[in-house]
Amino acid sequence: MQEGTDTSSGHPAVTAGVEWRGDVYAANCPTRLLLDRIADKWTVLLLTTLADEPMRFNALKRRIEGVSQKMLSQTLRQIERDGLVTRTVEATVPVSVTYAITPLGQTLVQALQPMIDWAETKMPEVGLAQAAYDQHAA
């Protein structure tokens, strides 16, 4: 791997075109930043929503209950930077912005789907374990 230092973040920067494999256990590994992003619930919810169809900002806000406008905007900006979604601005009045998942983002959704399925099917067992723990801890 060839790397330098990304002066904006202080993290190693990967030289384009050079194959690189990170060490997620190393404190300065850029893979950790990506894991933080893809482990974020808003990222997961946005990507799985956009996997179905492109959507406008307000439609996403309505679909994903509990996300604030600020968090939605911030997360969309981050995952756009990561190449997971695209942002298309249409010159209408008012301006219309549509977000769509990229092929890279689609591969991430395919990787996340088994975890989502696991969480949805195992939540009753996790709930029982939490109740047993809480009862024992009390």
Side-chain angles (χ1 to χ4, degrees), residues 12 30 44-45 47-48 55 57 59 63 68-70 72 78 86-88 92-93 97 106 110-111 118 123-124 135:
V44 171
L45 294 172
L47 290 175
T48 56
M55 295 181 83
F57 185 91
R63 175 68 180 107
S68 68
Q69 185 165 334
K70 178 182 177 184
L72 179 58
Q78 290 170 339
T86 59
R87 179 179 185 265
T88 304
T92 58
V93 179
V97 179
Q106 194 65 50
Q110 290 168 356
W118 182 89
M123 193 57 222
Q135 186 176 24

Side-chain angles (χ1 to χ4, degrees), residues 15-113:
T15 303
V18 176
E19 188 174 331
W20 177 75
R21 189 162 191 80
D23 177 5
V24 73
Y25 299 102
N28 65 347
C29 181
T31 304
R32 283 191 180 189
L33 298 173
L34 188 57
L35 282 175
D36 282 344
R37 178 107 61 248
I38 63 178
D40 176 71
K41 70 179 173 186
W42 301 123
T43 296
V44 171
L45 294 172
L46 281 167
L47 290 175
T48 56
T49 300
L50 291 171
D52 294 333
E53 64 180 322
M55 295 181 83
R56 293 176 58 181
F57 185 91
N58 286 331
L60 285 166
K61 184 154 179 5
R62 284 190 301 273
R63 175 68 180 107
I64 302 172
E65 294 179 14
V67 67
S68 68
Q69 185 165 334
K70 178 182 177 184
M71 183 56 64
L72 179 58
S73 179
Q74 178 181 328
T75 305
L76 283 166
R77 194 169 25 256
Q78 290 170 339
I79 61 178
E80 179 186 9
R81 181 174 183 261
D82 292 336
L84 304 174
V85 300
T86 59
R87 179 179 185 265
T88 304
V89 179
E90 300 168 33
T92 58
V93 179
V95 172
S96 174
V97 179
T98 303
Y99 294 90
I101 196 164
T102 64
L104 180 61
Q106 194 65 50
T107 64
L108 178 54
V109 169
Q110 290 168 356
L112 290 171
Q113 196 59 54

Side-chain angles (χ1 to χ4, degrees), residues 5-18:
T5 300
D6 177 349
T7 55
S8 65
S9 67
H11 296 284
V14 178
T15 303
V18 176

